[in-house]
Amino acid sequence: MFDRRRILAGVGSIAATGLVSKPLSAAAPIKVDDSSALLVIDVQNCFLPGGSLAVKDGDQVISVINRIAKGFANVVMTQDWHTVGHISFASSHSGKKPFETIDLKYGKQVLWPDHCVQGTDGAALSKDLAIPQAELIIRKGYHKDVDSYSAFTEADGKTTTGLAGYLKARKLKRLFVAGLATDFCVAWTALDARKAGFETYVVEDACRGIDTQGSLAKAWADMTKAGVKRIQSGDIAV
Ligand code: VGL
Ligand code: ZN
């Protein structure tokens, strides 16, 4: 005869050790290591509430970014940095309005309100970012006739910003991307990071999107297809 009490007691002791207490679906926390870098994309006044190209709830990324940045020894920030009369501005094309598109030599270009003009307050990084250890600020979009959403490669698909070379020289291989806007500069940066062979995570709750003409859904579809990992800030081990 088996001893029912003993069997039940055994089950109880397994539960008490914690072996069965975690749901099987919980993913392991993602560890930040010496080869990891946080890329903080375009957290600039123009993209924040009150700015000329304000991203809805854009300011909400700041506390999330400040929190996760504490876990990174390596942080790179980017700044959209346009000339006066930049080709991406609707005001540079007669009869065109912001959010319309035009065909340029290098492809389709969404036209934007004037934003992030070099040296202006709108182009400044948010004063609420608290990431003193950031090592590099990379500026992009400074060629008047070419836009650059990506922190790696301009919209002509060939002119490089030098970021891939910097990261490789520093032996940084795993990139965590956060900032504004999910569907433009974050997505293009993440896609180029994959093309350059980096392991790439986009921290969704540390980003906000513009979402014009289906751009946000398309950006996530493109990123997923390219092997970008879509994570939340809470997935990163602290
Ligand atoms: C951005 C539109 C135009 C961005 C920059 O930072 O996502 N979007 N320029
Ligand atoms: Zn821009």
Side-chain angles (χ1 to χ4, degrees):
M1 274 278 285
F2 68 88
D3 182 342
R4 192 162 179 273
R5 271 172 311 171
R6 261 176 94 155
I7 291 171
L8 287 175
V11 169
S13 69
I14 290 170
T17 62
L19 285 174
V20 294
S21 64
K22 272 197 185 145
L24 290 170
S25 60
I30 299 159
K31 293 204 179 71
V32 173
D33 61 16
D34 289 348
S35 76
S36 305
L38 177 64
L39 303 188
V40 179
I41 305 297
D42 296 5
V43 183
Q44 293 168 267
N45 295 329
C46 274
F47 299 121
L48 297 171
S52 62
L53 180 41
V55 179
K56 188 170 183 293
D57 298 330
D59 54 335
Q60 292 184 13
V61 305
I62 297 173
S63 61
V64 182
I65 291 173
N66 286 343
R67 189 173 69 239
I68 60 177
K70 290 193 202 317
F72 284 83
N74 300 294
V75 181
V76 173
M77 309 213 242
T78 68
Q79 248 179 327
D80 211 33
W81 199 248
H82 297 311
T83 60
V84 168
H86 191 260
I87 197 163
S88 74
F89 297 170
S91 63
S92 304
H93 306 270
S94 65
K96 291 290 181 185
K97 291 203 241 355
F99 304 101
E100 291 180 0
T101 54
I102 51 163
D103 290 312
L104 295 177
K105 274 199 297 254
Y106 56 78
K108 197 163 143 182
Q109 171 74 51
V110 182
L111 296 174
W112 304 108
D114 290 21
H115 64 280
C116 297
V117 172
Q118 296 170 4
T120 61
D121 280 350
L125 294 169
S126 169
K127 63 170 180 23
D128 297 324
L129 285 172
I131 319 178
Q133 78 274 29
E135 295 157 341
L136 176 70
I137 298 172
I138 192 135
R139 291 170 169 170
K140 61 187 178 60
Y142 47 75
H143 289 128
K144 193 172 185 175
D145 295 327
V146 190
D147 204 0
S148 190
Y149 297 142
S150 165
F152 290 94
T153 310
E154 298 188 9
D156 62 4
K158 50 178 191 263
T159 308
T160 171
T161 64
L163 180 58
Y166 170 86
L167 294 169
K168 285 178 183 172
R170 300 254 356 262
K171 302 196 165 34
L172 298 168
K173 298 184 170 72
R174 304 171 71 220
L175 306 182
F176 293 74
V177 191
L180 304 170
T182 319
D183 38 351
F184 290 92
C185 293
V186 169
W188 287 51
T189 296
L191 291 169
D192 278 351
R194 290 294 302 138
K195 274 191 206 154
F198 295 98
E199 185 179 339
T200 309
Y201 299 83
V202 168
V203 190
E204 184 172 17
D205 58 326
C207 302
R208 290 293 183 282
I210 294 173
D211 203 10
T212 174
Q213 299 167 33
S215 55
L216 189 58
K218 183 178 185 310
W220 279 119
D222 291 347
M223 288 192 281
T224 302
K225 197 170 151 203
V228 172
K229 294 173 188 148
R230 179 178 188 167
I231 63 166
Q232 308 300 315
S233 59
D235 298 336
I236 301 172
V238 285

